[in-house]
Amino acid sequence: MALTLDQIRTDVADCLGEDPADIPVDDNLVDWGLDSVRIMTLLGRWRREHGVQADFADLAEQPAIEAWAPLLGAGA
């Protein structure tokens, strides 16, 4: 099952202890407290559950949900 933009947002918010509606898709997630350990945790989950092939470096380079969506193969 492919990831969706909403699922990415929900997973990120869950990882950060925030409400998904509060996190804009174009915000830098580092500003929200996302660090490398959390990115690796999310990436591991998405690889297991959704077969994601993205690399950590790709996600760390542009830490925003809208930048991640195409890298993670997310549709609407």
Side-chain angles (χ1 to χ4, degrees):
M1 178 164 90
L3 270 171
T4 63
L5 189 68
D6 285 341
Q7 185 64 54
I8 296 168
R9 189 181 203 173
T10 298
D11 290 348
V12 168
D14 182 54
C15 187
L16 296 174
E18 299 286 344
D19 187 310
D22 291 341
I23 301 178
V25 296
D26 59 347
D27 261 16
N28 183 326
L29 296 171
V30 173
D31 294 342
W32 285 84
L34 193 72
D35 57 21
S36 58
V37 173
R38 288 184 169 127
I39 293 173
M40 287 300 296
T41 300
L42 288 166
L43 188 55
R45 177 194 303 178
W46 294 331
R47 284 178 174 161
R48 279 190 315 276
E49 296 177 5
H50 303 283
V52 164
Q53 299 295 319
D55 291 326
F56 169 79
D58 294 330
L59 301 185
E61 186 176 315
Q62 293 185 306
I65 294 168
E66 70 178 6
W68 286 2
L71 297 172
L72 298 171

